[in-house]
Amino acid sequence: MNDVEPKPTSIRRRLLIFLAGSAVLMVSCAAVATFWVALHLANSAYDRGLLDPAFDIADNVRLDTAGAHIDLPEKALEALTYDQVDKVIFQVRSRENAIIDGVPDLPLPPEFDPGQHLFFNSNYHGEKIRVAALRSASGIVVQIGETLHKRNRL
């Protein structure tokens, strides 16, 4: 019958366990917060790069007696939608949602006000895409969609 009492844990050991646990928790929380901030900033940069061609195309939509059309050469449109990594598509719709130019099967954007723009995720031919949509003051909607390869790689 050995009645040996366990040694009480020293203050040094308890303090070390508390500080090590606290440090691991703080580093983990900081890593998660840093990841989300970096992801938001990267997506904002990519979104802005996606919105620029939408503004360029919207600035070159002309309304005349023949209807709405894009007043840009085909090579200029190709340059605006060129990307080495991702597939970039565009679509221009009239106020009545008739397709003026671009791919015919890009889904409609959510409702938003004239003079505004928005970003949303969608699917195109089975691939996830990020879309920048811009509605001009005249009601013309320009959408630029891009696959997510660069974003996912980042």
Side-chain angles (χ1 to χ4, degrees):
M1 313 258 232
N2 196 357
D3 290 334
V4 178
E5 289 186 26
K7 283 178 128 179
T9 308
S10 70
I11 292 175
R12 181 180 289 167
R13 179 172 289 232
R14 284 189 285 171
L15 188 58
L16 179 65
I17 291 170
F18 173 75
L19 290 176
S22 298
V24 167
L25 181 65
M26 286 191 316
V27 168
S28 299
C29 290
V32 169
T34 301
F35 172 79
W36 286 112
V37 168
L39 184 64
H40 175 72
L41 290 175
N43 275 329
S44 294
Y46 279 123
D47 284 349
R48 184 62 199 177
L50 196 57
L51 186 60
D52 288 340
F55 277 120
D56 292 337
I57 292 172
D59 287 343
N60 288 286
V61 173
R62 303 289 179 249
L63 299 169
D64 55 23
T65 56
H69 64 279
I70 297 177
D71 191 23
L72 279 174
E74 189 65 31
K75 290 290 184 187
L77 279 174
E78 287 176 17
L80 286 173
T81 59
Y82 175 76
D83 193 305
Q84 289 182 330
V85 177
D86 285 308
K87 181 178 182 181
V88 179
I89 53 174
F90 80 97
Q91 182 185 74
V92 180
R93 289 181 178 260
S94 69
R95 180 179 310 155
E96 297 79 26
N97 287 329
I99 296 173
I100 297 170
D101 201 351
V103 298
D105 50 353
L106 191 62
L108 281 169
E111 282 299 316
F112 63 108
D113 295 327
Q116 300 294 314
H117 66 271
L118 62 90
F119 302 99
F120 62 96
N121 296 320
S122 187
N123 285 306
Y124 182 74
H125 291 215
E127 277 194 276
K128 292 183 178 187
I129 60 172
R130 181 76 169 166
V131 179
L134 170 69
R135 186 180 301 271
S136 69
S138 64
I140 300 290
V141 175
V142 177
Q143 296 186 90
I144 304 287
E146 175 182 66
T147 55
L148 305 177
H149 303 297
K150 286 185 301 208
R151 292 172 192 248
N152 291 340
R153 190 180 313 162
L154 178 66

